[in-house]
Amino acid sequence: MNDKNKLSLPSKLNVLLVEIEQHKTTPIEVSLDPERYHIVRVSHSGLSLLKAVESLEPDIIIIDIESPDRDMFESLNQISNSKPRPVIMFSEQDDTNTINELVRLGVSAYVVGEINKVRVKSIIDIAMARFSENQLLKNELKLTKEKLSTQKNVEKAKLWLMQTKDYNETQAYHCLRKMAMDNSQKMDEVAKNMLSVAAIFEGTK
Amino acid sequence: MKQKKFETTNLNIGFMPLTDCAPLVVAKEMGIFEKWGLAVNLLKQNSWATLRDKLHSQLLDAAQMLAPMPIASNLGLGCAKTDIITPFVLSRNGNAITLSKQLHQQVLATLVENKVSLPFAAGHLRAVIKHRKLLGNKLKFATVFPHSCHFYQLHSYFINSGIDINDIDIVVIPPANMVSALASGEIDGFCAGGPWNAMSVAQGIGFTGVTSVDIWPDFPEKVLAMKSSFQQQNRQTINALLAALSEACSWLKSVENRFEAALMLTQKKYLDAPVAVIAPSLLGSCLTLQNSEPRLVQGYNSFTRDVSGEQNKPLVQEGLKILEHMTLCEQVSPCEDSRTDSILISGIYREDIYQQAMAELDAKKLVHLKQPVSDKVHQNS
């Protein structure tokens, strides 16, 4: 039924399964459809685990929330320039509030106890979707920040024109826009140039 | 005795199994929490990230945190922005840098005297760093968390000796894996707290040449952290908690008590490690090399400051220093206005809450002095 959605995803997802105790993750592994997921299990810890992440380039990482290795994943985005990846936590603690809170705090998804085949697929799908949504939001935030600083420059340049040329706000804006059009530049660039020239004048005064 | 009503008496407090969780363990084992009317559950955690997430999601009411973590939480570094505060410094110092035995021997080979003086200067590593860089296999050091004093101290250690931080690799490894990573040669050294340095030395695989006392003397290491809203809703309870911890920290001043604390920490539910690797740092002794004399390091693990009224106060100026190092390590972008930084930090390092709790504690002591009989009754009850 969801064939259309399936097409947008890569054919097989690389899943890195990090386990502390051998028996614990087996239910998860069993419930992952081999047609859909390429599963690599690692039980080692420390740097060799990081190497596994580097060489496998997993699409998704599944790890026990009580694993000490969590701190290492935490540093992946901080210290190295590795690509951020969705991380799914699992735990035997069965508490809906915990799950909701942790998911709200940025863990992509949270699996509790033993899980069945039907559920695991949807959990992973949701985790992937949530993760890309988060990445989109992050990118959007970055764009908005850039936009804000652009507006700041234009506002400053307008103010400078109003103070030095006795323009009103509309005149100042038109002046900037005309200069931008005449030089086929962005308003932001014109504003920036104007401000840097203004700074030189201020300095020589 | 008249006592202000507690909002709650049950508290879940998270801790990491490290030597400097001593104040929490002492307060629990000695019945100090109980004496202050609190029923505290100490919950052992395996990773700083999970401890933080549990505190943020209120699965924990309070937790022992690395001193930079409350700041990272407020800035949303590696997590969703959350109002975490600290009203109490649990410990100062306690970290050390340990080199692998192989690296130590390589360094000795480059020196004429075949001996190094302590504290071990980073400059001695210069030749090896250069050599390994040429080989395309940079020296690799590990630390325990991106937002930790360990990380910033390791940075300072190299930078202060004029070593380019880009000439070495710094990775994060969970403390529990530190010793095995050093033994296997995956890393050439690490900066961590106790008992991991002493354990490397005791196992004959490491050389501890320098401690955080030598790098950033008497700097806050672990703090008691909680959500700002939790403190606001439980003011009296938190005041009692701080009073209990303050008592535990004072108790930890005497050498005999330190040894007793080391024994408490050996238990399975806490560190689950032999007393031979827990006790030395608590007693101001730094194991440096197997079959060598330990080095005397005053205040290697310190739980109070020797300044009246500031024994466990979270000083804003120290929070600002952490922020400065976060900026130096490019974890945060610099702020143009230093006033904004001060406002931010004074909202996290809450000197005011500490002061208020201690003022109440002093007032209670005065009452006790005036009424010696009721004091005894109170203690017996």
Side-chain angles (χ1 to χ4, degrees), chain B residues 158-295:
Chain B
F158 287 115
I159 287 173
N160 291 347
S161 288
I163 290 169
D164 186 349
I165 206 74
N166 296 313
D167 288 348
I168 50 169
D169 274 337
I170 299 184
V171 294
V172 169
I173 287 186
N177 293 335
M178 224 42 119
V179 176
S180 60
L182 193 71
S184 70
E186 280 182 330
I187 53 172
D188 301 291
F190 64 76
C191 182
W196 307 109
N197 296 292
M199 203 176 271
S200 311
V201 175
Q203 291 186 9
I205 56 165
F207 158 70
T208 304
V210 61
T211 70
S212 53
V213 180
D214 309 310
I215 308 171
W216 290 10
D218 280 330
F219 200 76
E221 172 53 34
K222 306 290 184 328
V223 298
L224 180 80
M226 62 197 69
K227 265 192 154 174
S228 173
S229 56
F230 186 77
Q231 187 272 332
Q232 282 163 14
Q233 288 154 14
N234 301 281
R235 285 174 202 270
Q236 295 309 323
T237 305
I238 298 302
N239 282 352
L241 176 64
L242 300 192
L245 287 172
S246 158
E247 200 176 319
C249 288
S250 306
W251 186 85
L252 276 163
K253 272 187 197 164
S254 99
V255 176
E256 297 84 24
N257 292 351
R258 289 282 183 110
F259 193 75
E260 217 175 302
L263 287 175
M264 291 176 202
L265 290 170
T266 57
Q267 293 177 62
K268 192 155 192 276
K269 57 181 168 176
Y270 302 127
L271 268 62
D272 196 16
V275 72
V277 299
I278 298 175
S281 69
L282 284 170
L283 302 173
S285 158
C286 173
L287 304 187
T288 53
L289 200 61
Q290 203 179 27
N291 304 324
S292 289
E293 279 286 299
R295 177 182 162 219

Side-chain angles (χ1 to χ4, degrees), chain A:
Chain A
M1 270 203 292
N2 283 332
D3 277 343
K4 267 184 195 166
N5 290 340
K6 241 184 192 172
L7 282 177
S8 61
L9 290 167
S11 53
K12 225 174 187 183
L13 289 174
N14 268 336
V15 178
L16 183 69
L17 204 55
V18 187
E19 50 191 356
I20 316 179
E21 297 157 69
Q22 205 110 31
H23 65 272
K24 224 174 165 184
T25 52
T26 320
I28 293 188
E29 196 188 0
V30 170
S31 51
L32 289 173
D33 183 358
E35 293 282 307
R36 213 177 132 81
Y37 306 105
H38 176 243
I39 306 150
V40 178
R41 292 171 60 166
V42 284
S43 55
H44 44 242
S45 181
L47 285 184
S48 41
L49 177 55
L50 279 192
K51 276 180 204 135
V53 175
E54 262 172 39
S55 60
L56 180 72
E57 297 203 334
D59 298 301
I60 201 154
I61 299 167
I62 303 186
I63 183 172
D64 188 329
I65 190 154
E66 294 301 338
S67 163
D69 284 318
R70 258 208 80 192
D71 286 343
M72 231 167 44
F73 284 113
E74 187 88 7
S75 75
L76 271 182
N77 303 328
Q78 306 267 347
I79 294 169
S80 71
N81 297 318
S82 287
K83 274 188 291 183
R85 293 178 180 83
V87 175
I88 296 184
M89 302 278 172
F90 68 92
S91 160
E92 280 168 355
Q93 283 175 317
D94 193 356
D95 175 350
T96 331
N97 285 335
T98 315
I99 305 163
N100 289 343
E101 270 300 320
L102 287 175
V103 169
R104 194 182 63 81
L105 290 171
V107 171
S108 302
Y110 194 94
V111 185
V112 175
E114 293 201 9
I115 44 168
N116 59 43
K117 246 184 187 176
V118 186
R119 267 187 66 211
V120 82
K121 182 183 167 293
S122 54
I123 286 168
I124 291 182
D125 283 350
I126 291 167
M128 298 283 291
R130 272 188 62 91
F131 181 76
S132 30
E133 193 185 328
N134 263 339
Q135 290 302 114
L136 272 180
L137 280 176
K138 270 187 192 159
N139 291 341
E140 217 168 275
L141 182 71
K142 207 177 139 206
L143 280 178
T144 314
K145 272 189 182 160
E146 279 171 13
K147 217 172 165 186
L148 271 178
S149 83
T150 306
Q151 277 176 1
K152 234 191 203 164
N153 287 333
V154 173
E155 286 303 313
K156 271 191 198 161
K158 259 165 52 183
L159 200 68
W160 185 77
L161 282 172
M162 283 153 75
Q163 279 168 351
T164 51
K165 296 247 173 195
D166 265 341
Y167 284 170
N168 65 31
E169 199 179 342
T170 324
Q171 284 171 322
Y173 179 77
H174 282 300
C175 171
L176 276 176
R177 198 175 60 176
K178 188 169 182 308
M179 280 170 81
M181 276 168 26
D182 290 351
N183 298 307
S184 55
Q185 276 182 319
K186 284 183 182 164
M187 291 259 294
D188 180 43
E189 281 166 38
V190 173
K192 255 195 230 160
N193 289 339
M194 193 177 280
L195 288 170
S196 60
V197 173
I200 295 168
F201 283 140
E202 302 273 309
T204 53
K205 246 181 209 173

